Amino acid sequence: MDTTTAVNLQDAVHESYRELFNDTPLLVRSPGRVNLIGEHTDYNNGLVLPAAIDKNIVLAIGKRDDNAIHLHSLDQGQSYATTLDELERSPLLWPDYILGVAQQLIKRGHTLQGFNIVFAGDIPQGAGLSSSAALECATGFALNELFDLDINRLDLALAAQAAENDFVGVKCGLMDQFASVFGQEHRLIKLDCADFSHEYIPFNNPELRIVLFDTQVKHSLASSAYNERREQCEYGVSLIQKHHPEVRSLRDATLEQLDRYVKPADEVVYNRCYYVVSEITRLQDGCDDLRKDDFESFGKRMFDTHGGLQHLYEVSCQELDILVDLVRDDPAVLGARMMGGGFGGCTINLVKAEEVDRVVNEVSRAYYQKTNKTTQAYIANISAGTARLNR
Ligand code: GLA
C-alpha cells in the first residue's frame, strides 16, 4: 500500500467505525503476500520463501458490553451479526474468516467478550495474494490486543491457519498466515514448515521489481483440487512409510524412495510427490543464488517451478501458462511462474526495473489478444507484517 492509499484506507475504516458504533476503535493492519519459490511445499513440512507486501487489510475493532459480534465489510458494503455462542459459518463467506479465528482463540482457552469490527482492504481478492489470510491475521492480532490475551506471533499465525482449515474448510499450510504476521520490509522469509524456524533473506535490489500479472480468473476447482493434492501427497508418504516408517512427510522422502515405492503403485501420485521433493531442493538452491546475488540463476529456477506445477503437480491453467510463456524469452524478465494455490490468480515475475513499463504493456496487449481477457499488473513491494496502527 503506498502511503496515500494506506492513510485513505485507515481513515475510511476509522470513520466508518465511528459512524456505525459511535466509539473510537483500535486499528490494525495485516498484509497480503507473495511467494518467490517453494509452492505447495508448506503442507508437506517443506520450505517456503514468501514475503509480506504493501497491500493490506485494515481493521477497526472495539469491545461490546454483551456477547454479540457485529461485523461490517466496507468493500462488500455488507454487515453481519451473531454472538460468541453461535460461531457458525455464515452465508456471506467473508465473516467466516473472522468468526473462525474467534472460535480458535476460544478453543485455545482464551476468554473473549462481544466485539465490533469494520474492515476494508486494498489486496485484490481472488488474485492469490492471500487477502483471506490477511483478514484472519488482522482479526487474531486485533483480538489479542483488545483483550490482552498475550498470544505470541507464531500462535496467532497458527490460530489463523486453523481457522482456515477447520472453519472455512481449506486445508492450507502455514505459509500465507506466517508471511502476513512475520513480514519485514525488504526481506524474504525462509520458513521451515517442519518446525516453524525461519530466517530472513534480504531482497532489496533497486534494479529489480517483483511484478504480478493477474489472470483475472479463478477456476472453480481451486479448493477441491487443493485438498486433493494434499491427500495425494499423504498417500505417497504412506506408500514409503511401509518400508521406511521414519519418513513422516515428503520433507523426509528422497527421489530414490519415490522411484522405488510410489512410481510402481501410482504414476500420478508419483508425479505429485516428485514435484514436491524437487521443489524443496530447488528452494534451497535458490536461496544460495540469492545469497550470491545471482538473480539470473534464481529466475531460471522460477521457470522450472512453473514447469513442475504445470506438468507434474497440474495446478496451473491455460491463462497462467500463457502469462508465463509471454515473458519466457524476454531478456528483461529473469524469472516467472504461477504463484499460490493455482487454477487462476497471479504469476510472479522478476523484472528489470527500467523495463517494467514496456514488459507490462506488451504482456497486457498479448494476453488480451490470446484470451480476450484483461490482465491487471501489480508491483509488489516487500513490506512489514501485521501491526497496530494506533494506541
Ligand atoms: C495457498 C495456501 C498455502 C500454500 C499455497 C501453495 O496459498 O494457502 O498454504 O499451500 O497455496 O504453495
Side-chain angles (χ1 to χ4, degrees):
M1 160 164 55
D2 64 44
T3 333
T4 0
T5 340
V7 171
N8 290 345
L9 206 53
Q10 191 175 327
D11 285 352
V13 170
H14 193 183
E15 204 40 52
S16 163
Y17 189 96
R18 289 184 64 90
E19 269 168 30
L20 282 167
F21 301 113
N22 198 21
D23 196 8
T24 302
L26 187 158
L27 286 163
V28 305
R29 59 156 194 86
S30 201
R33 63 101 188 89
V34 290
N35 184 28
L36 271 289
I37 201 161
E39 215 64 90
H40 286 276
T41 46
D42 59 353
Y43 53 84
N44 288 302
N45 277 355
L47 298 152
V48 288
L49 196 63
I53 59 173
D54 54 342
K55 299 192 185 302
N56 288 267
I57 296 286
V58 173
L59 183 145
I61 194 167
K63 282 182 193 167
R64 296 179 59 90
D65 297 331
D66 52 17
N67 78 345
I69 299 175
H70 285 234
L71 309 174
H72 183 73
S73 160
L74 264 186
D75 297 327
Q76 312 284 341
Q78 288 173 336
S79 296
Y80 187 75
T82 183
T83 69
L84 281 169
D85 306 321
E86 293 161 295
L87 291 173
E88 281 154 25
R89 289 193 61 173
S90 81
L92 298 179
L93 190 60
W94 62 261
D96 297 353
Y97 300 111
I98 297 172
L99 303 177
V101 172
Q103 185 189 59
Q104 283 300 326
L105 298 188
I106 294 168
K107 263 195 189 165
R108 287 160 158 74
H110 298 290
T111 307
L112 306 183
Q113 71 188 61
F115 56 89
N116 302 315
I117 281 181
V118 174
F119 73 96
D122 60 359
I123 309 172
Q125 286 175 26
L129 303 182
S130 299
S131 57
S132 44
L135 177 54
E136 291 156 357
C137 294
T139 302
F141 191 88
L143 288 170
N144 190 28
E145 294 280 310
L146 188 69
F147 296 118
D148 285 321
L149 303 177
D150 203 18
I151 308 173
N152 66 41
R153 282 186 180 249
L154 175 60
D155 287 335
L156 282 177
L158 287 166
Q161 180 204 12
E164 181 98 24
N165 289 172
D166 299 347
F167 201 83
V168 182
V170 178
K171 304 290 176 198
C172 66
L174 185 61
M175 172 170 74
D176 306 346
Q177 291 79 7
F178 196 95
S180 190
V181 171
F182 282 89
Q184 290 194 0
E185 204 177 358
H186 303 316
R187 297 168 105 190
L188 306 174
I189 310 166
K190 183 181 178 192
L191 167 66
D192 186 333
C193 299
D195 58 9
F196 314 133
S197 60
H198 60 285
E199 61 176 296
Y200 290 96
I201 299 190
F203 192 86
N204 190 20
N205 183 335
E207 283 157 29
L208 292 177
R209 292 280 179 280
I210 296 173
V211 180
L212 309 172
F213 285 114
D214 189 346
T215 56
Q216 303 269 30
V217 300
K218 186 87 210 162
H219 293 294
S220 57
L221 73 177
S223 61
S224 60
Y226 185 92
N227 291 348
E228 185 194 56
R229 293 301 179 280
R230 196 173 173 145
E231 281 162 21
Q232 289 169 325
C233 292
E234 282 160 13
Y235 178 57
V237 171
S238 75
L239 293 171
I240 300 174
Q241 265 172 348
K242 286 184 195 149
H243 310 272
H244 295 278
E246 72 283 4
V247 172
R248 284 158 305 143
S249 67
L250 286 180
R251 174 64 180 279
D252 307 326
T254 63
L255 292 178
E256 292 72 35
Q257 290 167 344
L258 297 180
D259 277 337
R260 237 168 129 174
Y261 307 118
V262 184
K263 195 169 189 179
D266 191 322
E267 191 80 25
V268 171
V269 170
Y270 172 77
N271 286 344
R272 308 292 191 245
C273 297
Y274 184 95
Y275 161 76
V276 171
V277 172
S278 29
E279 177 73 353
I280 294 171
T281 308
R282 197 156 34 232
L283 181 146
Q284 274 157 332
D285 295 341
C287 290
D288 292 341
D289 295 337
L290 291 179
R291 288 199 190 86
K292 289 184 275 181
D293 281 340
D294 189 348
F295 295 100
E296 297 277 342
S297 172
F298 185 84
K300 289 198 183 93
R301 295 188 207 281
M302 292 172 75
F303 282 115
D304 291 344
T305 293
H306 186 79
L309 291 165
Q310 180 180 5
H311 301 296
L312 300 175
Y313 216 64
E314 296 184 284
V315 290
S316 189
C317 63
Q318 207 191 3
E319 292 86 352
L320 287 165
D321 295 340
I322 288 173
L323 282 174
V324 171
D325 286 340
L326 282 173
V327 297
R328 205 179 279 284
D329 297 323
D330 190 326
V333 182
L334 276 52
R337 62 180 195 81
M338 59 148 279
M339 186 179 75
F343 301 103
C346 290
T347 63
I348 176 168
N349 303 257
L350 216 49
V351 184
K352 291 189 180 153
E354 56 192 20
E355 303 256 18
V356 166
D357 290 345
R358 175 190 61 76
V359 172
V360 167
N361 285 335
E362 287 180 11
V363 169
S364 305
R365 206 174 322 120
Y367 183 70
Y368 185 75
Q369 272 168 5
K370 286 182 188 289
T371 62
N372 241 342
K373 297 185 179 93
T374 310
T375 179
Q376 178 79 43
Y378 314 108
I379 309 286
N381 296 302
I382 298 182
S383 304
T386 319
R388 188 163 170 170
L389 295 169
N390 66 351
R391 281 286 144 195

